[in-house]
Amino acid sequence: GSAVTSRVKVTVLPVIPELPADAQPENTAFNHRVLLVDHTGTQCGYCPKMMAALKTVSETLDYHSKYYEAMSHTYNSSDPANSSAAQGVSSHYGITGYPTLSYNFRYNRSSSYDATDIMAQIDALWKADGAQAGIAAATNLAATKVIVNVSVKAAVEGEYAIAAWLLEDGIEATQSGATEDWMNIHNNAIRQCVLSEDNGNDISGVKLGTIAQGETAKSVLELPVTSNKWNRDNFKVMLIVSTPNDKGKFDVANVAICPINDVVTYDYKR
């Protein structure tokens, strides 16, 4: 006789990527990077001045080892690099003029197109003796999201939070006021970010609690891929660890970049 089998629904859970091994478990001397966020847009005629200044900074001596940058395209909603996550980031900074360059989570420098000035601001925030914490991570691009497994290791005991921003490179869009062809290719555009679970406007991300010196705290974060217009081949994840400053507000302690379907290890000082 014939047999009838019932349908079985199979739910495929996303694979949590494995964190890289810590090659120096006793080490807490981490290289330090500052967070720069350029609030910009393709119809902003003055924004190429900031783009040119940032390019000069990136090509000057070893400055690009001192910071990572993200581009928050919020000047015009028709911008192909615009996203709701970028709007949330620019809202956090209270941006009212373009271009504005933000440093870490707390400081804006409106319309400073001077590369020398930008380098001076980086120098003021950069700690030559190292960061308060280090970041290791692994990412996995699933069907509708990026899974991020992240570990924060404290060099200084304290409260910490971790944020993950999904960035996209290589977005082609004509830039108003562009003076060179490269200005029409937009990199490091914010596509998605993990916000704090207890305050939707808090871009510091997920609170990890107190981490003792030399100890680690881990978290698994998800970044939804909500548009089929985003180029998944050009994704990367920016990871931002923060800790309370002298005013009790979480501010950036260190930044790392992890490629998609790859890992980033703790960046120890040599």
Side-chain angles (χ1 to χ4, degrees):
S2 60
V4 178
T5 58
S6 59
R7 293 185 176 183
V8 177
K9 181 180 180 181
V10 177
T11 301
V12 179
L13 297 175
V15 176
I16 297 175
E18 185 175 348
L19 285 165
D22 186 352
Q24 302 179 52
E26 304 303 317
N27 197 345
T28 57
F30 304 106
N31 284 314
H32 178 223
R33 284 181 172 83
V34 176
L35 172 66
L36 269 58
V37 181
D38 182 14
H39 306 270
T40 187
T42 54
Q43 291 181 14
C44 168
Y46 290 106
C47 287
K49 295 178 182 291
M50 186 71 79
M51 297 169 71
L54 286 170
K55 186 173 187 288
T56 297
V57 173
S58 72
E59 294 172 349
T60 301
L61 297 174
D62 61 345
Y63 268 87
H64 218 280
S65 68
K66 295 182 178 181
Y67 70 94
Y68 282 121
E69 63 187 345
M71 311 298 282
S72 188
H73 282 252
T74 51
Y75 181 83
N76 53 294
S77 59
S78 60
D79 187 335
N82 175 264
S83 69
S84 60
Q87 295 286 356
V89 170
S90 288
S91 175
H92 161 85
Y93 289 103
I95 300 304
T96 57
Y98 293 81
T100 294
L101 190 63
S102 298
Y103 299 83
N104 290 339
F105 284 160
R106 300 290 162 193
Y107 182 52
N108 299 340
R109 191 82 170 182
S110 297
S111 301
S112 173
Y113 315 133
D114 185 344
T116 302
D117 177 71
I118 293 170
M119 288 185 281
Q121 305 308 316
I122 293 170
D123 286 340
L125 294 166
W126 183 73
K127 298 178 176 67
D129 58 349
Q132 293 162 279
I135 304 166
T139 64
N140 175 43
L141 177 58
T144 59
K145 65 186 72 173
V146 175
I147 310 297
V148 185
N149 192 2
V150 59
S151 176
V152 172
K153 185 176 180 181
V156 178
E157 180 173 336
E159 290 182 70
Y160 289 94
I162 188 68
W165 295 1
L166 183 63
L167 306 183
E168 183 182 339
D169 289 338
I171 301 170
E172 297 183 19
T174 300
Q175 174 65 51
S176 178
T179 55
E180 299 181 64
D181 288 343
W182 65 266
M183 293 178 172
N184 300 311
I185 306 295
H186 305 277
N187 298 318
N188 303 308
I190 300 170
R191 287 306 200 188
Q192 194 59 270
C193 58
V194 172
L195 298 176
S196 171
E197 66 276 14
D198 53 10
N199 181 353
N201 294 321
D202 182 358
I203 62 172
S204 64
V206 175
K207 303 299 186 290
L208 299 173
T210 299
I211 310 176
Q213 182 182 18
E215 298 299 314
T216 62
K218 299 176 175 64
S219 186
V220 177
L221 310 175
E222 295 186 355
L223 292 159
V225 179
T226 56
S227 173
N228 59 12
K229 294 181 180 179
W230 300 353
N231 188 339
R232 298 157 67 98
D233 293 334
N234 290 347
F235 285 167
K236 59 190 174 189
V237 175
M238 172 179 275
L239 297 147
I240 307 164
V241 61
S242 58
T243 193
N245 60 17
D246 56 5
K247 297 179 181 177
K249 300 286 189 180
F250 276 80
D251 207 352
V252 175
N254 210 357
V255 188
I257 295 286
C258 187
I260 291 296
N261 295 324
D262 205 345
V263 301
V264 61
T265 59
Y266 293 117
D267 185 14
Y268 292 114
K269 292 174 67 69
R270 294 179 179 176

